[in-house]
Amino acid sequence: MEPVTTHTLIDTLLAQIETLISVAGLQSTRGAEDPSWIEHYFQNSLLEKIVRLSGKAGRQQEVALAEAKFRCALSDANFSAANIDVPTYESQLTRAYEGFNDFNQVPQALCDKADAEIVFNANMQRVSTQTTGTPSENSVSLNVIRWKHLTKALENLTAAGKLQDAKNLPRIHLRRGDCELLRRRLGQAPTSYDIALKSASTLLKNAQIYYRGAARLAKAEGATDEEVEGLTKEAVVAAFLGDQSKFRERILLAKSRVQEVVEDMTEDGLVLENDMRLLGL
């Protein structure tokens, strides 16, 4: 039996925090459940202990990353449960990383914050329309908010990709392309946000560049899944820009994998039903 050390204790506590993050994510998708017990458990059973141990082991940054990620997930769940309003939700996401030392120099922190901004956008998407699918009265202001957060996500990913110690560069570039497609979606009905509508072509061209770069980097690293995802997404964007030849070529090479990627794009809100018809799917 291995001896219990400070590091193994920290690893165990980090695993528990990851579990709480997953549970908060599940409750966020369900919407109705009150996540207060998750916060109570974190505050009373984990936080003080792991902060104290991390100081002894020199793992403060790793623990700070986990805490910030948890607080964002908890905010998602609280918003979905109608425990907080949009301004409070925004404020909590901002505060989650305020105390993080050297935030702009830590790739994982930048990427995690970008992911939080993207989830925030998805939650705003759910509240921006009535059950009828028509824009609600506050949808115009929500469009501005969503554009701001997606732009911030893109900026964080761009900054992360420029740092020498950034890991998984293909995934970072894939996420940059995703941000551009999400911004483009704001210009589509029923949202029809003016800035996104006018910038649609530029946003698509940007996404194409990011996806192409991701595929190139993935090929060099031998990351097959990311390479296929990048090539497929680039081909999808090329079809939106009027050139369907790349997409037809991808279908011939790996139809089932292409369909999987496109289905994921639909689930992630990157493409709509009208886009799918354009692709012939």
Side-chain angles (χ1 to χ4, degrees):
M1 184 175 179
E2 294 184 5
V4 177
T5 66
T6 300
H7 287 288
T8 57
L9 288 172
I10 292 173
D11 290 340
T12 299
L13 292 169
L14 284 172
Q16 290 182 46
I17 293 174
E18 281 297 327
T19 298
L20 290 181
I21 290 170
S22 298
V23 172
L26 287 173
Q27 294 204 184
S28 178
T29 58
R30 293 170 183 166
E33 298 181 40
D34 187 349
S36 58
W37 70 269
I38 301 175
E39 182 175 18
H40 183 272
Y41 184 82
F42 175 78
Q43 291 289 151
N44 292 282
S45 300
L46 299 178
L47 182 58
E48 182 181 351
K49 188 185 298 182
I50 197 170
V51 168
R52 174 170 47 82
L53 291 171
S54 68
K56 293 180 180 180
R59 295 174 65 178
Q60 295 95 326
Q61 185 180 96
E62 186 180 0
V63 169
L65 275 171
E67 180 183 353
K69 189 175 179 180
F70 168 79
R71 295 198 180 282
C72 289
L74 182 64
S75 296
D76 299 335
N78 272 317
F79 180 76
S80 295
N83 289 343
I84 56 175
D85 58 13
V86 173
T88 303
Y89 188 14
E90 280 194 286
S91 176
Q92 289 182 357
L93 288 187
T94 300
R95 290 203 308 271
Y97 286 88
E98 273 185 346
F100 194 94
N101 293 330
D102 299 322
F103 171 77
N104 291 319
Q105 298 303 314
V106 181
Q108 191 61 56
L110 289 163
C111 290
D112 286 351
K113 183 63 172 8
D115 286 342
E117 305 282 8
I118 292 169
V119 173
F120 175 89
N121 170 70
N123 283 326
M124 292 303 101
Q125 166 67 23
R126 283 196 284 271
V127 301
S128 66
T129 58
Q130 305 284 352
T131 54
T132 57
T134 58
S136 61
E137 293 180 1
N138 65 348
S139 62
V140 175
S141 61
L142 285 178
N143 290 342
V144 176
I145 292 170
R146 291 173 63 193
W147 179 269
K148 178 182 72 174
H149 282 270
L150 287 172
T151 301
K152 187 61 180 176
L154 181 61
E155 291 171 351
N156 285 340
L157 290 166
T158 301
K162 292 179 179 178
L163 296 174
Q164 289 187 347
D165 54 342
K167 298 178 181 178
N168 203 346
L169 281 174
R171 180 56 55 189
I172 290 175
H173 288 301
L174 286 169
R175 295 298 271 168
R176 292 174 75 191
D178 292 349
C179 283
E180 293 295 53
L181 289 190
L182 288 170
R183 294 207 299 174
R184 168 193 177 248
R185 180 174 172 176
L186 282 171
Q188 297 175 282
T191 316
S192 302
Y193 181 45
D194 185 57
I195 293 177
L197 188 61
K198 291 178 179 178
S199 307
S201 178
T202 299
L203 296 174
L204 285 172
K205 290 175 182 177
N206 289 344
Q208 190 174 35
I209 291 170
Y210 298 146
Y211 290 143
R212 185 184 301 133
R216 184 176 65 251
L217 288 169
K219 183 177 182 179
E221 295 180 8
T224 304
D225 286 346
E226 283 81 3
E227 181 186 1
V228 172
E229 182 178 344
L231 290 171
T232 301
K233 287 183 172 180
E234 181 198 355
V236 167
V237 173
F240 294 161
L241 288 167
D243 179 8
Q244 294 191 347
S245 60
K246 285 188 176 181
F247 187 74
R248 288 195 292 266
E249 181 181 338
R250 294 301 308 162
I251 286 286
L252 290 173
L253 288 172
K255 183 175 181 178
S256 61
R257 185 68 182 99
V258 168
Q259 289 178 326
E260 288 177 7
V261 172
V262 174
E263 286 172 4
D264 288 342
M265 293 176 75
T266 305
E267 290 180 7
D268 293 339
L270 306 180
V271 297
L272 301 176
E273 288 185 11
N274 288 341
D275 297 324
M276 295 288 282
R277 285 195 287 270
L278 179 63
L279 295 173
L281 296 176

